[in-house]
């Protein structure tokens, strides 16, 4: 397996830079230094839960064609821009 295909270059760059900073003990500011340790006190339990809101299905059930008419032009535009890039 080719390492360049298995690991994205940006991820490899971040891992390499982090490893070099730790190895050479460079004095770098971390997010905890800037925001304060109290910001991260709760750990993962303070993060919001991932999921779809219950109200997202209401417009699709009540008026699916009207919702599609509103959303479709934006969806097509976003898909076109995504395919160009």
């Amino acid at each position: 397996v080719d390492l360049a295909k298995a690991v994205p270059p940006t991820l490899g760059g971040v891992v390499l830079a982090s490893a070099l900073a730790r190895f050479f003990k460079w004095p770098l500011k971390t997010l905890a230094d800037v925001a304060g340790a109290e910001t991260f006190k709760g750990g993962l339990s303070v993060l919001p839960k991932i999921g779809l809101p219950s109200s997202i299905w209401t417009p699709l059930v009540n008026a699916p064609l009207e919702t599609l008419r509103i959303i479709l032009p934006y969806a097509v535009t976003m898909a076109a821009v995504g395919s160009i890039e």
Side-chain angles (χ1 to χ4, degrees), residues 42-63:
L44 295 177
S45 64
V46 298
L47 294 177
K49 303 296 181 232
I50 297 176
L52 293 175
S54 60
S55 63
I56 193 170
W57 301 111
T58 305
L60 297 175
V61 172
N62 292 343

PDB file of all heavy atoms in Angstrom, residues 42-63:
ATOM      1  N   GLY A  42     -15.345  19.688  30.807  1.00  0.00           N
ATOM      2  CA  GLY A  42     -16.323  18.602  30.737  1.00  0.00           C
ATOM      3  C   GLY A  42     -15.955  17.479  29.787  1.00  0.00           C
ATOM      4  O   GLY A  42     -16.587  16.437  29.788  1.00  0.00           O
ATOM      5  N   GLY A  43     -14.944  17.657  28.961  1.00  0.00           N
ATOM      6  CA  GLY A  43     -14.565  16.625  28.007  1.00  0.00           C
ATOM      7  C   GLY A  43     -15.619  16.449  26.927  1.00  0.00           C
ATOM      8  O   GLY A  43     -16.305  17.387  26.527  1.00  0.00           O
ATOM      9  N   LEU A  44     -15.759  15.218  26.467  1.00  0.00           N
ATOM     10  CA  LEU A  44     -16.703  14.936  25.386  1.00  0.00           C
ATOM     11  C   LEU A  44     -18.155  15.035  25.835  1.00  0.00           C
ATOM     12  O   LEU A  44     -19.054  15.176  25.014  1.00  0.00           O
ATOM     13  CB  LEU A  44     -16.435  13.542  24.817  1.00  0.00           C
ATOM     14  CG  LEU A  44     -15.088  13.365  24.119  1.00  0.00           C
ATOM     15  CD1 LEU A  44     -14.929  11.928  23.661  1.00  0.00           C
ATOM     16  CD2 LEU A  44     -14.946  14.312  22.951  1.00  0.00           C
ATOM     17  N   SER A  45     -18.408  14.970  27.138  1.00  0.00           N
ATOM     18  CA  SER A  45     -19.790  15.002  27.614  1.00  0.00           C
ATOM     19  C   SER A  45     -20.451  16.363  27.409  1.00  0.00           C
ATOM     20  O   SER A  45     -21.680  16.455  27.415  1.00  0.00           O
ATOM     21  CB  SER A  45     -19.846  14.619  29.086  1.00  0.00           C
ATOM     22  OG  SER A  45     -19.155  15.578  29.867  1.00  0.00           O
ATOM     23  N   VAL A  46     -19.676  17.432  27.236  1.00  0.00           N
ATOM     24  CA  VAL A  46     -20.267  18.761  27.056  1.00  0.00           C
ATOM     25  C   VAL A  46     -20.564  19.073  25.592  1.00  0.00           C
ATOM     26  O   VAL A  46     -21.185  20.078  25.295  1.00  0.00           O
ATOM     27  CB  VAL A  46     -19.360  19.869  27.640  1.00  0.00           C
ATOM     28  CG1 VAL A  46     -19.187  19.679  29.120  1.00  0.00           C
ATOM     29  CG2 VAL A  46     -18.027  19.928  26.942  1.00  0.00           C
ATOM     30  N   LEU A  47     -20.123  18.217  24.678  1.00  0.00           N
ATOM     31  CA  LEU A  47     -20.405  18.443  23.267  1.00  0.00           C
ATOM     32  C   LEU A  47     -21.871  18.151  22.972  1.00  0.00           C
ATOM     33  O   LEU A  47     -22.480  17.280  23.596  1.00  0.00           O
ATOM     34  CB  LEU A  47     -19.519  17.543  22.402  1.00  0.00           C
ATOM     35  CG  LEU A  47     -18.032  17.844  22.449  1.00  0.00           C
ATOM     36  CD1 LEU A  47     -17.278  16.822  21.609  1.00  0.00           C
ATOM     37  CD2 LEU A  47     -17.741  19.237  21.950  1.00  0.00           C
ATOM     38  N   PRO A  48     -22.454  18.852  22.007  1.00  0.00           N
ATOM     39  CA  PRO A  48     -23.851  18.571  21.662  1.00  0.00           C
ATOM     40  C   PRO A  48     -23.976  17.199  21.009  1.00  0.00           C
ATOM     41  O   PRO A  48     -23.044  16.707  20.376  1.00  0.00           O
ATOM     42  CB  PRO A  48     -24.214  19.687  20.679  1.00  0.00           C
ATOM     43  CG  PRO A  48     -22.922  20.191  20.170  1.00  0.00           C
ATOM     44  CD  PRO A  48     -21.897  19.948  21.237  1.00  0.00           C
ATOM     45  N   LYS A  49     -25.119  16.586  21.166  1.00  0.00           N
ATOM     46  CA  LYS A  49     -25.373  15.278  20.570  1.00  0.00           C
ATOM     47  C   LYS A  49     -25.572  15.440  19.062  1.00  0.00           C
ATOM     48  O   LYS A  49     -26.161  16.404  18.601  1.00  0.00           O
ATOM     49  CB  LYS A  49     -26.623  14.635  21.183  1.00  0.00           C
ATOM     50  CG  LYS A  49     -26.553  14.487  22.682  1.00  0.00           C
ATOM     51  CD  LYS A  49     -25.438  13.549  23.094  1.00  0.00           C
ATOM     52  CE  LYS A  49     -25.400  13.390  24.585  1.00  0.00           C
ATOM     53  NZ  LYS A  49     -24.105  13.620  25.169  1.00  0.00           N
ATOM     54  N   ILE A  50     -25.080  14.486  18.310  1.00  0.00           N
ATOM     55  CA  ILE A  50     -25.195  14.528  16.852  1.00  0.00           C
ATOM     56  C   ILE A  50     -26.488  13.841  16.441  1.00  0.00           C
ATOM     57  O   ILE A  50     -26.778  12.741  16.905  1.00  0.00           O
ATOM     58  CB  ILE A  50     -23.983  13.852  16.192  1.00  0.00           C
ATOM     59  CG1 ILE A  50     -22.716  14.611  16.530  1.00  0.00           C
ATOM     60  CG2 ILE A  50     -24.175  13.754  14.690  1.00  0.00           C
ATOM     61  CD1 ILE A  50     -21.458  13.973  16.015  1.00  0.00           C
ATOM     62  N   GLY A  51     -27.238  14.487  15.585  1.00  0.00           N
ATOM     63  CA  GLY A  51     -28.487  13.907  15.105  1.00  0.00           C
ATOM     64  C   GLY A  51     -29.301  14.937  14.353  1.00  0.00           C
ATOM     65  O   GLY A  51     -28.966  16.121  14.330  1.00  0.00           O
ATOM     66  N   LEU A  52     -30.326  14.488  13.730  1.00  0.00           N
ATOM     67  CA  LEU A  52     -31.206  15.390  12.997  1.00  0.00           C
ATOM     68  C   LEU A  52     -32.288  15.914  13.935  1.00  0.00           C
ATOM     69  O   LEU A  52     -32.828  15.156  14.744  1.00  0.00           O
ATOM     70  CB  LEU A  52     -31.870  14.655  11.832  1.00  0.00           C
ATOM     71  CG  LEU A  52     -30.950  14.218  10.709  1.00  0.00           C
ATOM     72  CD1 LEU A  52     -31.727  13.390   9.700  1.00  0.00           C
ATOM     73  CD2 LEU A  52     -30.331  15.421  10.031  1.00  0.00           C
ATOM     74  N   PRO A  53     -32.606  17.184  13.830  1.00  0.00           N
ATOM     75  CA  PRO A  53     -33.704  17.700  14.647  1.00  0.00           C
ATOM     76  C   PRO A  53     -35.022  17.080  14.213  1.00  0.00           C
ATOM     77  O   PRO A  53     -35.208  16.735  13.047  1.00  0.00           O
ATOM     78  CB  PRO A  53     -33.678  19.203  14.384  1.00  0.00           C
ATOM     79  CG  PRO A  53     -32.906  19.372  13.135  1.00  0.00           C
ATOM     80  CD  PRO A  53     -31.988  18.206  13.010  1.00  0.00           C
ATOM     81  N   SER A  54     -35.931  16.940  15.144  1.00  0.00           N
ATOM     82  CA  SER A  54     -37.210  16.307  14.826  1.00  0.00           C
ATOM     83  C   SER A  54     -38.035  17.156  13.862  1.00  0.00           C
ATOM     84  O   SER A  54     -38.864  16.644  13.122  1.00  0.00           O
ATOM     85  CB  SER A  54     -38.010  16.038  16.095  1.00  0.00           C
ATOM     86  OG  SER A  54     -38.255  17.259  16.761  1.00  0.00           O
ATOM     87  N   SER A  55     -37.812  18.456  13.870  1.00  0.00           N
ATOM     88  CA  SER A  55     -38.601  19.337  13.015  1.00  0.00           C
ATOM     89  C   SER A  55     -38.170  19.305  11.555  1.00  0.00           C
ATOM     90  O   SER A  55     -38.840  19.875  10.712  1.00  0.00           O
ATOM     91  CB  SER A  55     -38.520  20.772  13.534  1.00  0.00           C
ATOM     92  OG  SER A  55     -37.186  21.230  13.472  1.00  0.00           O
ATOM     93  N   ILE A  56     -37.075  18.631  11.226  1.00  0.00           N
ATOM     94  CA  ILE A  56     -36.619  18.615   9.827  1.00  0.00           C
ATOM     95  C   ILE A  56     -37.589  17.833   8.940  1.00  0.00           C
ATOM     96  O   ILE A  56     -37.709  18.087   7.754  1.00  0.00           O
ATOM     97  CB  ILE A  56     -35.189  18.046   9.716  1.00  0.00           C
ATOM     98  CG1 ILE A  56     -34.615  18.342   8.335  1.00  0.00           C
ATOM     99  CG2 ILE A  56     -35.166  16.555   9.963  1.00  0.00           C
ATOM    100  CD1 ILE A  56     -33.150  18.033   8.200  1.00  0.00           C
ATOM    101  N   TRP A  57     -38.297  16.867   9.511  1.00  0.00           N
ATOM    102  CA  TRP A  57     -39.195  16.047   8.714  1.00  0.00           C
ATOM    103  C   TRP A  57     -40.564  16.685   8.513  1.00  0.00           C
ATOM    104  O   TRP A  57     -41.303  16.293   7.631  1.00  0.00           O
ATOM    105  CB  TRP A  57     -39.350  14.676   9.357  1.00  0.00           C
ATOM    106  CG  TRP A  57     -38.038  13.971   9.485  1.00  0.00           C
ATOM    107  CD1 TRP A  57     -37.375  13.711  10.633  1.00  0.00           C
ATOM    108  CD2 TRP A  57     -37.213  13.489   8.430  1.00  0.00           C
ATOM    109  NE1 TRP A  57     -36.188  13.082  10.362  1.00  0.00           N
ATOM    110  CE2 TRP A  57     -36.053  12.936   9.011  1.00  0.00           C
ATOM    111  CE3 TRP A  57     -37.325  13.468   7.049  1.00  0.00           C
ATOM    112  CZ2 TRP A  57     -35.032  12.381   8.265  1.00  0.00           C
ATOM    113  CZ3 TRP A  57     -36.303  12.910   6.302  1.00  0.00           C
ATOM    114  CH2 TRP A  57     -35.179  12.370   6.911  1.00  0.00           C
ATOM    115  N   THR A  58     -40.925  17.665   9.314  1.00  0.00           N
ATOM    116  CA  THR A  58     -42.242  18.277   9.230  1.00  0.00           C
ATOM    117  C   THR A  58     -42.532  18.868   7.852  1.00  0.00           C
ATOM    118  O   THR A  58     -43.576  18.583   7.270  1.00  0.00           O
ATOM    119  CB  THR A  58     -42.403  19.348  10.327  1.00  0.00           C
ATOM    120  OG1 THR A  58     -42.137  18.742  11.586  1.00  0.00           O
ATOM    121  CG2 THR A  58     -43.793  19.933  10.319  1.00  0.00           C
ATOM    122  N   PRO A  59     -41.635  19.676   7.272  1.00  0.00           N
ATOM    123  CA  PRO A  59     -41.953  20.215   5.936  1.00  0.00           C
ATOM    124  C   PRO A  59     -42.027  19.135   4.868  1.00  0.00           C
ATOM    125  O   PRO A  59     -42.800  19.243   3.927  1.00  0.00           O
ATOM    126  CB  PRO A  59     -40.801  21.171   5.634  1.00  0.00           C
ATOM    127  CG  PRO A  59     -40.031  21.318   6.869  1.00  0.00           C
ATOM    128  CD  PRO A  59     -40.408  20.225   7.793  1.00  0.00           C
ATOM    129  N   LEU A  60     -41.242  18.064   5.017  1.00  0.00           N
ATOM    130  CA  LEU A  60     -41.259  17.011   4.008  1.00  0.00           C
ATOM    131  C   LEU A  60     -42.557  16.214   4.042  1.00  0.00           C
ATOM    132  O   LEU A  60     -43.023  15.739   3.018  1.00  0.00           O
ATOM    133  CB  LEU A  60     -40.055  16.083   4.211  1.00  0.00           C
ATOM    134  CG  LEU A  60     -38.693  16.744   4.040  1.00  0.00           C
ATOM    135  CD1 LEU A  60     -37.588  15.762   4.372  1.00  0.00           C
ATOM    136  CD2 LEU A  60     -38.517  17.283   2.636  1.00  0.00           C
ATOM    137  N   VAL A  61     -43.152  16.079   5.213  1.00  0.00           N
ATOM    138  CA  VAL A  61     -44.403  15.338   5.338  1.00  0.00           C
ATOM    139  C   VAL A  61     -45.591  16.210   4.934  1.00  0.00           C
ATOM    140  O   VAL A  61     -46.494  15.760   4.230  1.00  0.00           O
ATOM    141  CB  VAL A  61     -44.576  14.826   6.791  1.00  0.00           C
ATOM    142  CG1 VAL A  61     -45.952  14.223   6.989  1.00  0.00           C
ATOM    143  CG2 VAL A  61     -43.489  13.816   7.106  1.00  0.00           C
ATOM    144  N   ASN A  62     -45.577  17.469   5.361  1.00  0.00           N
ATOM    145  CA  ASN A  62     -46.723  18.345   5.123  1.00  0.00           C
ATOM    146  C   ASN A  62     -46.807  18.844   3.682  1.00  0.00           C
ATOM    147  O   ASN A  62     -47.893  18.923   3.123  1.00  0.00           O
ATOM    148  CB  ASN A  62     -46.688  19.538   6.074  1.00  0.00           C
ATOM    149  CG  ASN A  62     -46.923  19.114   7.501  1.00  0.00           C
ATOM    150  OD1 ASN A  62     -47.415  18.026   7.749  1.00  0.00           O
ATOM    151  ND2 ASN A  62     -46.552  19.958   8.439  1.00  0.00           N
ATOM    152  N   ALA A  63     -45.699  19.233   3.085  1.00  0.00           N
ATOM    153  CA  ALA A  63     -45.737  19.795   1.732  1.00  0.00           C
ATOM    154  C   ALA A  63     -44.479  19.399   0.967  1.00  0.00           C
ATOM    155  O   ALA A  63     -43.597  20.207   0.736  1.00  0.00           O
ATOM    156  CB  ALA A  63     -45.858  21.312   1.805  1.00  0.00           C
TER     157      ALA A  63
END
